[in-house]
Structure formats: structure tokens, C-alpha cells
Amino acid sequence: MISFDLSHAQIAVIGSGTMGIGIAQLAMINGHSTFLYDLDREKTQQAVDGLHQTFAKLTEKGKMTYEQAQQALSRLRIADQIEALANVDLVIEAVVEKLEVKQALFKQLATICNDQTILATNTSSISVTAIASAIPHPERVVGLHFFNPAPVMKLVEIVQGLKTPIDLCQALKVLMLAWKKISVLTKSTPGFIVNRIARPFYAEAFRALQEQVTTYEQLDYALKQCGGFAMGPCELTDLIGQDVNFSVTQSVYEAFFYEPRYRPSLIQKELVDAGTWGRKSKQGFYRYDDKNQYVTFQPQFITKPSFHADVQVKGAWAQCPHVLERLGLSHALASNDNIIQIDDVDLRLSQGESANIDYPNRKTVLMDWHHDFTQAQAVVLSHNTLCQADDLAKIDAFFAQQQIKVLWISDHPALLTLRTIVLLINEACEASLHGIATMEDIDNAMRYGVNYPKGPYQWMMQLGAEYVLATLNNLYAIYGEEKYRASLYLKQYMAKQQSVIADYSKNLTECA
């Protein structure tokens, strides 16, 4: 019977790369006797030297006292042979991301350690069930996926293999709480939570570039300004490494038996094939100097806007709160459509339509969603071919009155931010449909694992499930591709919501 009290566990970390060192540092700081093992002894010594430097810097910055740093370092043990790990309670491996390597390592550990030893893998996408299948007592194998850098990033994914008992997962949640981490529980499925649900953030960005609707600089600016993301997809993949991000996408795509939602991008493959991997190669989407600085996009204001037009407002604009106030518009006519009519041009909030396909007979401008219109500095717009240069100039001037910059892109259904967010929501719904994780854990995973401003379900509450579903249905109708098919979970959620509303209305009628 495995003991699930890990409060005083002896911990072994295998692998002295960046991730292994980070995990070892966490264990040491949190009071655990910690063994570090790597086949490469020179690399192990470099890791130890690095840990001493790290603790010295933490002391200099006042984040810990000299005594605390020395106590933490005194807990570190270097294992010259793997046999030295025989009596540890928890092994966390952080070796190369290959199934056969991890299986071989755990097979070896199974012959060295006793049956009580918990074997945790830091894999970011490999099946924990598959890793466990090769060893006796597979029930002691669990995923413990830290994010880089491990001492800084708050999230840890606890991955339950097919034979991993829930009690073991709960014990690791307690341990991670003691380490001041936010842990989420996920089933062993390709990409787990974060690396699965995040795929549309990259895929839809690369698709916009492949369809030539915008530039990578404009795209990054739009997702940051309008979506509230800390980094744009091109900046972020440059930071991660285009080769690494592409490899993860490929592995998730293959593991899901070539599900179209995860198909890799030819745009990214070109970068990888060219060796332009981002910051580490000094060129990816951006070019980097010796300090890893790069030039970002900054849109220009119209300095002296001259706006003269008749403006009429229709609809509630509920999906974009404060937009009318921000634009200096105080009254709207009741309508099912959200339209700001500027002379003979209809400005509409996008719901996944195509400006050219859906509005062939009216001058139409489609506006992307903005996460907080009270602070909006820019909006992303597209238009159909009926709009002329003077129409676009009029729209520019209309927004410039309120010090809002306009980013014009080609006709692109659901534009950039809305499209990205509804597909992230849809992917979260698919994960929920398959029982991968709870709504709360999905939201926490995306907020703390990749620093999204909101979790997918928080976005759905903000936008409204009906608006999300309508946008997906419009995308699916236009593209005819399975990747834009709305999740059954979302449809069922909508049906349930409508049923609740119908019952509420019926009760009100009966009471009256």
C-alpha cells in the first residue's frame, strides 16, 4: 500500500536541465531532502553551481535570508549512481521528452526502488498511461507537469493515468499547495489541459497569416490590445521556440489520430525548416538583437479627425459592454442586430460572418470584439468590397474622435480576437465533454499555465454561450471544416440554459 503522506517526503529529481534544476530548487526550499541525478556528471555539477548562484541572487534581492539559503542547499544530495535513489519516497523525472526513454528509466527505477516509491513524470504531452504500462505497479505512476521556469510559474498539472488512484493525485495536490502552487487535475490525454486547449491560439493566428489578412506585427498587437493577452502568438512562439511549439502541435495532432482541430501550420513549418526558431536563433517572426529586443507594431493616430456624418445606433451591444459609451453614443434603437449606421455604411459587431459573403448588398464594416472597451486604444475592422476609400476614411475619423486607432484587415470571419477566443472556448468544451478536467481546473490551467487574461469558461460567461455558439456556427457554415464544428458540450449547455429560462418564464406566468 503506497503511503500518500508526502509532507516529509525524500524527493529525487532525475535530469539536471533547466526544468530539473527548477523542480529541485522548489523541493529544497520547501524542506525536502532532495537528490539530484543525471547520467552526465559534468552537467550535474553545472546544475549544482547554478543552484548556488540562484540562491545567492535570492539572498541579494532579499527574497530569503542567508541562513535560509544555506539550509536549502544543505538539503541537496548528488546521486552519483541511480542506485542511490533506492529509499526515496517520490521520484520526479525531467528527462528528454521521448516515451521509450521515460519507460526505460521507470523500468530501471522499479528494480531499484521499493514498491512504495511514487514515480512522477514531468512530461508535457506524453501519455502517463503509456509510460506506466511498462513497469510493475503502474498505479504508482503519475504526471506532475511543471511549467518553465518551475520556481516562478504557478501552475502544475497533476495527470491521472488509467491506473493512477485518485488518492495519489489528491496527495500531490496537498504537496503542491504546500509548495504554493496552483494544481489542476487532468486525465492522461494528449496535451493534457494547457497544451491541448492552447492550440487554437496559435493555429488561428497562423491561419490568418496564411490567408494573408494581416501581418504578424499587426496580429500580435491586436491580440494584446483587443484580447488582453500578455503576448501575441508570434511573439510567444518565438519565445518558446518555433521548433518546440511546432513539435508539440505535431505530437498532439498525431496523438489525436489527425483530428483537424490540431493540424500544424505550413507557416510555422517554413520557419522551422529555415532554422528561424525565434529568440534562440535571433530570428523567427521577429529579428532579435543581442539583448533579445525586437521592433513591435504601433498604429498611428489620425491627428486631426474631420468627421461629418449621420449616425444611427441599433441594438444592445451586450457582447461588447461600454462600446456605445466609449464611442460617445448614448441612444440605441431596439433591434436584434448590433449596428452603428454611419451614413450608408453599416458598422456591425462580428458574429463570425464574412463581410463579402453575408452582406453583398450593403456597405458593411465588421468590428472585432474587445475585452474592455472602456480602455480601448484600437479596434480591428474589416469591410466588404462595396466600401470605397472615402467610406473607410469616414470610419477612421469616426473612431479617431474618441482617440481609438483602426487596424484594417482583409475580410476574415470572426476577425482575430473573437475568432481566437471562441475557438479556445470550443476546445475547453470538448475537454469537458470527454471528462478531462473540471471547468474550474480548465480556467485555472489556462490562466496560470499560459497567463491568459481569463479562462475559457470565464470568457464564455462574459460573451454569452449563445453568442459563442452563433459565431462558431457561422464559421462552420463559411469554411465547412470540422475544426469549426461547435462542441456537443456547448450545444447541450445552450439547450440546458434555454430550458432553465423557459421554466423560469413559465413559473412567472403561472404566479401571475
Side-chain angles (χ1 to χ4, degrees):
M1 188 69 173
I2 299 174
S3 171
F4 294 135
D5 181 5
L6 299 172
S7 55
H8 302 290
Q10 284 195 88
I11 294 175
V13 177
I14 299 181
S16 58
T18 303
M19 188 59 76
I21 296 169
I23 297 169
Q25 179 183 326
L26 279 168
M28 294 157 60
I29 286 174
N30 285 284
H32 297 272
S33 177
T34 305
F35 289 81
L36 182 64
Y37 173 75
D38 195 297
L39 282 171
D40 187 336
R41 293 191 181 185
E42 184 177 343
K43 192 175 178 182
T44 304
Q45 187 55 54
Q46 289 172 352
V48 173
D49 294 341
L51 281 169
H52 278 270
Q53 291 171 13
T54 296
F55 281 109
K57 288 178 183 177
L58 290 171
T59 302
E60 287 172 15
K61 292 178 180 178
K63 295 188 176 181
M64 60 173 23
T65 65
Y66 175 79
E67 290 73 18
Q68 288 171 329
Q70 292 307 304
Q71 286 173 359
L73 286 166
S74 72
R75 299 182 188 112
L76 180 63
R77 305 282 185 274
I78 305 305
D80 292 328
Q81 303 293 330
I82 196 168
E83 286 77 14
L85 311 182
N87 296 316
V88 301
D89 303 298
L90 170 64
V91 177
I92 305 171
E93 68 79 13
V95 299
V96 65
E97 193 75 346
K98 292 183 179 179
L99 173 61
E100 61 274 17
V101 174
K102 294 179 187 294
Q103 282 183 330
L105 173 61
F106 277 10
K107 271 186 181 179
Q108 187 180 12
L109 287 167
T111 65
I112 294 168
C113 303
N114 62 52
D115 296 345
Q116 306 281 317
T117 304
I118 297 164
L119 305 178
T121 171
N122 185 55
T123 181
S124 60
S125 59
I126 298 173
S127 166
V128 172
T129 299
I131 294 170
S133 67
I135 70 163
H137 303 291
E139 67 276 3
R140 59 182 166 152
V141 178
V142 65
L144 200 59
H145 178 213
F146 292 83
F147 287 73
N148 193 27
V152 176
M153 295 297 285
K154 292 182 178 180
L155 187 75
V156 178
E157 288 180 316
I158 297 172
V159 187
Q160 184 179 19
L162 187 63
K163 295 186 178 180
T164 310
I166 191 64
D167 289 353
L168 174 53
C169 296
Q170 295 298 340
L172 286 169
K173 282 182 77 75
V174 171
L175 181 66
M176 291 301 101
L177 183 63
W179 289 15
K180 298 179 178 60
K181 295 293 180 183
I182 293 170
S183 61
V184 294
L185 178 61
T186 173
K187 288 184 179 177
S188 179
T189 186
F192 311 137
I193 300 175
V194 173
N195 279 324
R196 171 184 179 162
I197 293 176
R199 304 286 31 106
F201 183 72
Y202 312 112
E204 291 310 310
F206 297 151
R207 181 151 198 171
L209 297 179
Q210 196 159 337
E211 292 181 5
Q212 303 180 74
V213 301
T214 188
T215 65
Y216 65 86
E217 301 102 326
Q218 239 187 359
L219 175 68
D220 278 348
Y221 178 88
L223 268 293
K224 289 185 292 184
Q225 161 57 212
C226 305
F229 293 92
M231 296 185 77
C234 300
E235 291 173 305
L236 183 55
T237 49
D238 267 5
L239 176 62
I240 294 167
Q242 298 297 339
D243 53 334
V244 173
N245 186 263
F246 183 72
S247 176
V248 171
T249 302
Q250 272 191 311
S251 67
V252 172
Y253 180 53
E254 291 167 6
F256 272 105
F257 306 113
Y258 304 100
E259 164 63 50
R261 297 199 314 278
Y262 311 117
R263 184 179 293 125
S265 165
L266 291 172
I267 291 284
Q268 192 173 38
K269 185 177 185 297
E270 279 287 284
L271 292 175
V272 173
D273 289 347
T276 50
W277 298 333
R279 290 194 186 188
K280 61 186 175 185
S281 64
K282 297 301 179 186
Q283 185 180 349
F285 283 106
Y286 297 87
R287 290 182 180 273
Y288 298 87
D289 63 20
D290 292 339
K291 295 180 179 178
N292 279 330
Q293 294 177 332
Y294 55 103
V295 179
T296 57
F297 174 80
Q298 289 297 329
Q300 299 299 310
F301 269 127
I302 297 175
T303 53
K304 294 182 179 180
S306 176
F307 177 74
H308 303 285
D310 180 50
V311 179
Q312 188 175 34
V313 186
K314 300 177 183 178
W317 292 79
Q319 277 71 41
C320 217
H322 309 296
V323 62
L324 300 183
E325 177 187 346
R326 181 73 170 83
L327 294 175
L329 303 171
S330 58
H331 178 69
L333 299 174
S335 173
N336 291 327
D337 273 341
N338 293 318
I339 303 174
I340 299 173
Q341 194 171 322
I342 304 170
D343 283 344
D344 61 343
V345 180
D346 291 345
L347 173 64
R348 292 173 172 269
L349 180 64
S350 174
Q351 200 166 354
E353 321 98 305
S354 159
N356 286 310
I357 295 170
D358 290 285
Y359 305 105
N361 302 315
R362 288 280 303 174
K363 291 181 180 180
T364 300
V365 171
L366 293 177
M367 182 171 74
D368 206 345
W369 182 79
H370 198 292
H371 77 110
D372 181 6
F373 231 99
T374 62
Q375 304 297 320
Q377 297 174 25
V379 292
V380 176
L381 305 178
S382 65
H383 62 88
N384 62 10
T385 54
L386 295 177
C387 294
Q388 303 301 309
D390 59 338
D391 297 313
L392 305 186
K394 195 181 300 181
I395 299 297
D396 282 332
F398 172 68
F399 281 99
Q401 289 180 115
Q402 307 302 328
Q403 295 294 296
I404 297 174
K405 307 163 192 174
V406 172
L407 304 182
W408 289 105
I409 68 170
S410 299
D411 183 22
H412 194 54
L415 298 144
L416 304 175
T417 297
L418 177 62
R419 184 158 165 159
T420 298
I421 287 173
V422 297
L423 285 162
L424 288 169
I425 292 169
N426 201 48
E427 195 57 47
C429 287
E430 282 290 285
S432 293
L433 181 68
H434 301 145
I436 303 307
T438 65
M439 283 184 172
E440 182 182 2
D441 277 356
I442 287 171
D443 275 355
N444 280 335
M446 304 315 291
R447 287 178 61 208
Y448 297 105
V450 278
N451 290 322
Y452 286 178
K454 289 182 185 291
Y457 285 109
Q458 290 175 311
W459 271 316
M460 189 166 81
M461 295 303 110
Q462 182 179 359
L463 287 165
E466 185 177 2
Y467 182 60
V468 172
L469 181 58
T471 303
L472 286 165
N473 285 341
N474 283 330
L475 283 168
Y476 186 51
I478 291 168
Y479 281 97
E481 295 181 25
E482 281 299 295
K483 72 174 294 185
Y484 298 113
R485 173 182 46 81
S487 170
L488 176 61
Y489 187 88
L490 177 58
K491 294 177 181 178
Q492 290 172 335
Y493 180 90
M494 264 299 302
K496 185 177 178 181
Q497 291 293 100
Q498 289 171 346
S499 175
V500 169
I501 292 168
D503 288 345
Y504 179 67
S505 299
K506 182 181 177 183
N507 289 338
L508 282 180
T509 304
E510 288 173 354
C511 289

